[in-house]
Amino acid sequence: MTVELKNDRFLRALSRQPVDRTPVWMMRQAGRYLPEYRATRAQAGSFVKLCKAPDLACEVTLQPLERYPLDAAILFSDILTVPDAMGLGLYFEGGEGPRFERTIQTAADVAALATPDMESELRYVMDAVRTIRRELDGRVPLIGFSGSPWTVATYMVEGGTSKNFSRIKGMLYDKPELLHSLLERVTRTTLDYLNAQVAAGAQAVMVFDTWGSILTPKTYHTFSLDYMQRIVDGVTREAEGRKVPVVLFTKGGGPWLEAMADTGCDALGVDWTTDLAEARARVGDRVALQGNLDPAVLYASPEVIREEVRQVLESFGHGPGHVFNLGHGIHPEVKPEHAGAMIEAVVELSPAYHR
Ligand code: CP3
């Protein structure tokens, strides 16, 4: 499967190589703001069923690429497929977000976790990767992803999205060795998972650490960053004769950018609470940066969106090493034309930063 890549801007930017313009994609680019996504999800029956049907997952992955001149596709799936396959039973309750039938509270719960086989229990994900690569036919690269072990563990312990993270933080302080044993299991499965995605055709991988920022500086290092370090060290970094870049994204991780760059990853996702000029000054030429338009800017008019895009491009400044993105996922209420205005502004305004 060594189809020539027609557009490699995204991969070049992640390696800080020169590009003609700043590449752009959006976190959650296949999602509820698109009517065609909602129609395919209805056809599948539910979000989980959509994830588990490779042909439909491929269809929704490609939908935003039909609308916009995006420079990357991202596998349509979820970070919670991993704990689901480890035996916790993922489901979504109407508009309530993710839930698990079983949670992790004790050492016996950790011991009872399954070690899923990537080509059986998680085969539907690998089939989606293979199908998407075939259908993309080299148009743009495909991003694979996982959650960070810490972020995935928050869902496994809390049983869903949480406000105070009382259970996992109680565990962190009362029974740190129990939490480490859970993180150890999740890390091993996550590494298998990402490596299977690369073997199936993922051309870059991104690790989403959505909840790293609820930790203290010290516990961020021991309970989140150390496990992401193991992922950076263990993930396949080359395939099909090309580098497979690794992007780490801790939402709210501004205080820890230097430490994240020290893992040896290729790029950092940055949210809108950190200025890109400051981030760039701090990490220097060690990593590329991806971000960081406030997703709420997309509620504004196309004229305002264009000006805000210009400010993000200006904050990174001239030269390679920037991938334009939102600072977090696109909101479901955003009008598709407003996402289009953002992408168009990047296409039109960014060449000036690469001359
Ligand atoms: O970016 C993409 O287009 C790829 C698909 C993708 C999804 N989830 C699809 C999805 C990716 C990369 C994710 C990652 C993910 N999932 C994260 C990390 C990134 C982040 O957003 O912080 C997290 C924390 C999850 C867990 C998760 N999945 C939650 C908390 C929710 C409910 C909240 C919400 O936004 O509704 C989901 C559901 C989910 N995952 C949806 C999509 C498109 C919406 C479900 C639906 O269509 O009904």
Side-chain angles (χ1 to χ4, degrees):
M1 191 199 2
T2 18
V3 180
E4 206 200 325
L5 198 48
K6 291 157 198 144
N7 171 354
D8 65 352
R9 250 181 222 113
F10 170 71
L11 295 180
R12 291 181 63 84
L14 288 178
S15 296
R16 293 178 301 99
Q17 291 167 353
V19 284
D20 56 342
R21 66 162 173 83
T22 308
V24 54
W25 70 280
M26 293 184 291
M27 290 188 262
R28 293 278 170 97
Q29 63 190 21
R32 286 161 294 178
Y33 74 106
L34 291 178
E36 59 270 35
Y37 168 81
R38 297 195 299 268
T40 309
R41 189 185 58 185
Q43 190 190 332
S46 72
F47 170 71
V48 173
K49 284 183 183 155
L50 177 55
C51 289
K52 292 186 177 179
D55 287 343
L56 296 180
C58 172
E59 187 178 307
V60 296
T61 300
L62 300 182
Q63 284 170 348
L65 299 164
E66 307 298 335
R67 273 191 187 250
Y68 313 117
L70 293 161
D71 297 298
I74 180 161
L75 164 68
F76 186 83
S77 188
D78 200 84
I79 65 168
L80 302 179
T81 53
V82 166
D84 182 52
M86 293 176 90
L88 298 192
L90 173 66
Y91 66 100
F92 282 73
E93 208 130 55
E96 291 274 294
R99 305 289 314 162
F100 283 110
E101 283 162 18
R102 291 165 289 283
T103 63
I104 302 294
Q105 310 300 325
T106 65
D109 296 336
V110 175
L113 283 169
T115 301
D117 183 273
M118 298 301 143
E119 289 294 348
S120 42
E121 287 92 334
L122 285 161
R123 169 146 194 180
Y124 66 91
V125 176
M126 308 314 150
D127 282 344
V129 171
R130 286 184 282 260
T131 308
I132 297 162
R133 274 297 300 276
R134 192 182 69 225
E135 295 300 316
L136 275 174
D137 193 30
R139 265 184 282 169
V140 292
L142 175 62
I143 307 167
F145 70 91
S146 73
S148 73
W150 162 258
T151 290
V152 170
T154 66
Y155 290 94
M156 297 172 85
V157 174
E158 300 288 337
T161 305
S162 175
K163 202 159 148 236
N164 293 327
F165 298 92
S166 52
R167 288 177 167 182
I168 194 157
K169 287 201 121 179
M171 188 186 285
L172 184 156
Y173 289 113
D174 263 340
K175 295 179 180 160
E177 62 301 326
L178 172 60
L179 183 51
H180 280 302
S181 73
L182 172 60
L183 290 166
E184 176 74 39
R185 290 292 302 273
V186 174
T187 300
R188 273 193 268 143
T189 299
T190 300
L191 260 177
D192 283 353
Y193 186 59
L194 289 174
N195 284 334
Q197 288 183 33
V198 173
Q203 291 153 295
V205 297
M206 176 154 168
V207 180
F208 289 91
D209 185 31
T210 306
W211 300 120
S213 65
I214 68 164
L215 293 165
T216 62
K218 188 164 146 245
T219 57
Y220 173 74
H221 278 78
T222 45
F223 290 91
S224 187
L225 190 63
D226 283 358
Y227 293 96
M228 290 201 283
Q229 175 76 64
R230 291 197 16 209
I231 291 174
V232 173
D233 292 341
V235 78
T236 311
R237 302 290 283 272
E238 204 188 305
E240 303 174 45
R242 261 188 182 275
K243 183 165 158 185
V244 178
V246 179
V247 185
L248 297 185
F249 173 54
T250 294
K251 182 167 175 278
W256 306 311
L257 295 178
E258 292 89 342
M260 293 170 76
D262 283 343
T263 59
C265 66
D266 298 282
L268 300 179
V270 179
D271 75 12
W272 62 92
T273 61
T274 300
D275 184 74
L276 284 185
E278 184 210 313
R280 191 178 186 185
R282 284 166 53 198
V283 300
D285 57 9
R286 283 182 293 163
V287 287
L289 297 174
Q290 176 172 278
N292 69 344
L293 188 76
D294 178 359
V297 165
L298 300 186
Y299 295 135
S301 66
E303 298 70 43
V304 170
I305 292 170
R306 188 177 176 90
E307 172 53 23
E308 294 287 336
V309 165
R310 196 192 59 71
Q311 287 184 30
V312 169
L313 292 169
E314 187 62 34
S315 68
F316 183 86
H318 288 257
H322 182 208
V323 172
F324 196 98
N325 205 316
L326 298 169
H328 196 210
I330 186 169
H331 300 170
E333 304 83 3
V334 167
K335 293 195 184 85
E337 311 83 75
H338 287 206
M342 177 195 92
I343 294 156
E344 193 179 288
V346 177
V347 169
E348 290 175 12
L349 301 175
S350 70
Y353 294 89
H354 300 280
R355 288 197 270 267

